[in-house]
Amino acid sequence: MSAHCQLTGARPRFGNTVSHSHRRTSRRFDPNIQRKRYWLPSEGRYVRLTLSARAIKAIDAMGIESAVARIRARGGKV
């Protein structure tokens, strides 16, 4: 599963771990990606989305219909 959110577009970011002696080693900051299934009433089917935890909260606030419309507007497949 790729670590990228279909709604917000959150992807891994890269940076450094800095030790006490100030040596730097590269590391990766991954978003909290979950696979979630939603019922889409307009199409009469379930959709499975790969979402970050922040996007799940956003869907709870705005609704699945508008979230799917945003994903499709960005060119994503649902």
Side-chain angles (χ1 to χ4, degrees):
M1 174 171 66
S2 74
H4 120 278
C5 176
Q6 288 180 288
L7 182 62
T8 63
R11 291 182 179 273
R13 296 182 181 271
F14 297 90
N16 291 309
T17 299
V18 182
S19 70
H20 179 69
S21 64
H22 217 62
R23 289 179 59 127
R24 291 179 168 90
T25 55
S26 58
R27 63 161 292 183
R28 182 175 149 140
F29 296 91
D30 285 325
N32 185 3
I33 298 293
Q34 312 290 325
R35 280 181 58 86
K36 190 128 167 75
R37 194 174 81 143
Y38 288 98
W39 174 253
L40 197 57
S42 64
E43 297 181 16
R45 67 182 181 106
Y46 283 99
V47 292
R48 189 176 298 275
L49 301 173
T50 306
L51 302 167
S52 63
R54 190 179 78 191
I56 292 172
K57 293 174 189 172
I59 289 176
D60 289 344
M62 72 172 127
I64 186 64
E65 295 290 341
S66 62
V68 167
R70 275 193 197 180
I71 292 170
R72 287 183 174 145
R74 293 179 78 224
K77 184 177 172 234
V78 177

